[in-house]
Amino acid sequence: MARAAAWMVHAYTMSGAVLGLLMVHLSYQGEVEAVLWLFLVAMLVDGTDGFLARRFRVKEVVPEIDGALLDNIVDYLTYAFAPMILLWATGRLPDGAWGAVVAAVPLVASCYQFCRSDAKTEDHYFRGFPSYWNIVAFHVFVLDLSVTATVVLLLVLAVLVYVPVRYVYPSRTEALWGLNMTLATAWLAVYALLVLDLPDPSTVLVGASLAYVAYYTAVSGWLTLSGRRREAAITSLA
């Protein structure tokens, strides 16, 4: 019974690969809103499968499957690969070869990040911009960004993948966990409402979404600096 439950959790995670396949297919059909809904479903799966894996002791019960590797494969498809396909297929990137180059830059950066052994810190932070390309793509459509603005945004964030700022992992980072989870959950609701509003999203909802992004960025920077100060203080006392 325990193994069956553990395998069901793995199957739940694997469903993200199917979502990724559908995202790519629908992107080439120009079904932007459908893809954005699939992004939301993928985020919900990703946000809950870890809890389920711990609840059903998946690593212990099915040790022959590397759940962390499976999670990374699925996350790369749904958080990085599919969003770049969506932007490229729907004309949000430059025409011709330059579009391929721009799309490739975040993908290569994410390859680097997903393969790092220290991509997630022991105290549950992401190291470097955490490849939230699905959220970036969502805002490109919500804000109706130009090709130039989209390219600049992608390139800046791709560079930030390599910058060792610690970003909050909302469901795992202990600092401000309650506030972070509350705001992340509220943002998911705002996300859904904005997709329903497309192609003319509510200004209030857009502001709420951007406010959460600003909060997430600010609190990640603050916690990074606080952590470095603590480490420096400990080092000076040693």
Side-chain angles (χ1 to χ4, degrees), residues 164-183:
V165 171
R166 303 199 310 171
Y167 290 81
V168 168
Y169 188 161
S171 64
R172 300 294 304 277
T173 302
E174 292 183 6
L176 303 175
W177 184 89
L179 177 60
N180 289 332
M181 277 300 294
T182 299
L183 293 178

Side-chain angles (χ1 to χ4, degrees), residues 14 44 51 70 87 111 126 148-149 154 173 181 200 204 227 232:
M14 291 174 190
L44 292 173
F51 166 78
L70 172 61
L87 292 175
C111 281
F126 296 110
T148 300
L154 294 179
T173 302
M181 277 300 294
D200 298 307
V204 173

Side-chain angles (χ1 to χ4, degrees), residues 146-163:
S146 67
V147 170
T148 300
T150 300
V151 169
V152 171
L153 180 61
L154 294 179
L155 296 181
V156 169
L157 292 176
V159 170
L160 290 178
V161 169
Y162 302 93
V163 178

Side-chain angles (χ1 to χ4, degrees), residues 1-15 52-53 56-59 61-66 70:
M1 189 65 178
R3 280 184 63 84
W7 274 108
M8 288 180 67
V9 174
H10 279 318
Y12 181 59
T13 301
M14 291 174 190
S15 69
L52 293 173
F56 291 100
R57 300 178 294 110
V58 169
K59 188 174 183 179
V61 176
V62 188
E64 64 269 28
I65 299 297
D66 188 333
L70 172 61

Side-chain angles (χ1 to χ4, degrees), residues 204-225:
V204 173
L205 291 174
V206 171
S209 183
L210 293 177
Y212 174 71
V213 172
Y215 165 81
Y216 178 85
T217 303
V219 78
S220 295
W222 175 66
L223 289 172
T224 297
L225 292 174

